[in-house]
Amino acid sequence: MTPFMRNNVDFESISRDEILATFNFVIIGGSESSATALTGIFNHLSRKENRDILGTLCADIRVISEGLRLCNPVPGGLPRVVPEGGDTYCGIFLPEGTRLEARNFAINRSQKYFDNPDKLSASKPFTSGFHCCLGRPLAMLELRLVIIKVLLAFDVSVDSADSVNFDDFPVIMLIQKLPMVLRLKSRDVGIEVV
């Protein structure tokens, strides 16, 4: 309310009655209803008799992390600079200012570095430590929202003639995206979009 009232100190734009009538709905509709729905959903999902449903739901939602492991959008890795005084990497001393990077795609799938490179915990698509990607929370939110909204609205498939393999897309630091044709069929009215 504070930012809204800053330009309406004496109720010159909108009257007090209009504010009360409007914001009752805004506050309830924008917060209380979502909180109540979430409370109910988590109450049901957490019950012993619904553990299978919860497990399936979690596995399906967490597919995003597996997708990032297989389809890292920055497979070339993020470049780093050797700090002042130089440092040793993989047993080799590098002078300060040397640029280096680790190829995430290759490292994440290498049995040389991981007992089970196909295990999800081996993947660090946003890197880790002090220099990890600051955009991770926003990227994960965006990915979840887009994937969930698309899959709620459409059945997604690909015709065999249009099938492509993401691993065959060229890499020059980033993935060079090739054309990819998907068939989207509306779940509500059966309309197909290609």
Side-chain angles (χ1 to χ4, degrees):
M1 290 295 296
T2 301
F4 179 80
M5 290 303 296
R6 193 171 291 132
N7 296 323
N8 195 37
V9 177
D10 295 320
F11 302 104
E12 62 276 358
S13 299
I14 300 176
S15 72
R16 180 180 169 79
D17 289 340
E18 288 175 308
I19 290 171
L20 291 174
T22 302
F23 278 88
N24 277 338
F25 289 109
V26 170
I27 291 170
I28 292 171
S31 62
E32 186 56 33
S33 58
S34 299
T36 301
L38 288 169
T39 301
I41 290 167
F42 281 108
N43 175 263
H44 285 283
L45 286 174
S46 63
R47 289 183 181 179
K48 187 176 182 179
E49 66 267 21
N50 292 327
R51 292 256 169 86
D52 290 345
I53 295 168
L54 178 61
T56 300
L57 179 63
C58 288
D60 290 347
I61 289 171
R62 292 172 185 158
V63 73
I64 294 170
S65 295
E66 177 64 3
L68 286 171
R69 184 185 74 78
L70 294 172
C71 308
N72 191 317
V74 188
L78 299 173
R80 301 288 188 246
V81 177
V82 176
E84 187 176 320
D87 206 348
T88 301
Y89 298 90
C90 301
I92 300 170
F93 180 81
L94 298 174
E96 67 182 69
T98 303
R99 294 176 56 89
L100 65 137
E101 67 183 58
R103 299 266 171 188
N104 295 338
F105 183 85
I107 290 173
N108 284 346
R109 294 182 177 200
S110 173
Q111 288 192 338
K112 179 178 177 181
Y113 302 109
F114 297 101
D115 282 339
N116 185 355
D118 292 329
K119 189 175 177 183
L120 188 55
S121 64
S123 176
K124 302 293 180 208
F126 296 95
T127 73
S128 60
F130 180 75
H131 292 288
C132 70
C133 178
L134 294 175
R136 182 184 186 281
L138 180 60
M140 291 302 290
L141 176 66
E142 183 179 44
L143 290 169
R144 286 183 183 114
L145 281 174
V146 170
I147 291 170
I148 288 169
K149 284 188 172 275
V150 167
L151 296 180
L152 278 173
F154 300 99
D155 290 326
V156 180
S157 64
V158 63
D159 295 336
S160 57
D162 295 324
S163 182
V164 296
N165 185 346
F166 186 86
D167 288 350
D168 294 337
F169 287 13
V171 177
I172 303 175
M173 180 63 173
L174 300 174
I175 300 289
Q176 306 300 303
K177 289 172 280 307
L178 301 176
M180 187 174 81
V181 179
L182 294 178
R183 183 171 301 281
L184 304 176
K185 182 177 180 183
S186 172
R187 297 184 64 237
D188 292 335
V189 281
I191 298 171
E192 285 196 51
V193 178
V194 178

